Amino acid sequence: MGEDARFEDADAGPVALRALDAEDLKVISALVQDAIFPVSEMTWDRRRRRFALLVNRFRWEEAGGAHPPERVQSVLAIEDALAVASQGIDRADPDLVLSILALDWTPGADCTGRITLVLAGDGAVALDVEALEVTLRDVTRPYVAPSGKTPQHPE
């Protein structure tokens, strides 16, 4: 008789997740913490009601493993976006690079609500949505993080 499979032996493939409630969103928020992106990679298709970011995501799911810290390019998409507003961001600066700290959800009436991308440096992007639907999908192979370090957060 063979040995049971162990979690540690699994090959971590690309992430492809969808959040449809607040608990799901916490998982995606944890995975995009410390993701970085140029302001130019933030787009809102008003007609399709879709807000999307191409981010360089730190691979928290592999942190502390046998290999060096990694990042991967991922698309973070928010569906049913009715309005988008930003604070503390100079969208006219093409060289501006932003970092995500968290995704917050504030429910409204009848399944509506607000998703806030909390950014490092007191910036934020708020999206009023008809319903909570957020997807995160890795779109490239992982690469060694240029800094070679795992992001650190004070306790």
Side-chain angles (χ1 to χ4, degrees), residues 54-97:
L54 178 64
V55 300
N56 295 296
R57 182 178 74 76
F58 186 81
R59 294 188 73 219
W60 286 108
E61 67 274 22
E62 291 296 309
H67 47 79
E70 294 179 328
R71 287 193 175 267
V72 63
Q73 285 197 316
S74 305
V75 173
L76 176 67
I78 300 171
E79 306 297 335
D80 294 319
L82 304 172
V84 179
S86 61
Q87 171 185 321
I89 300 170
D90 181 1
R91 298 196 47 153
D93 180 357
D95 297 324
L96 181 62
V97 175

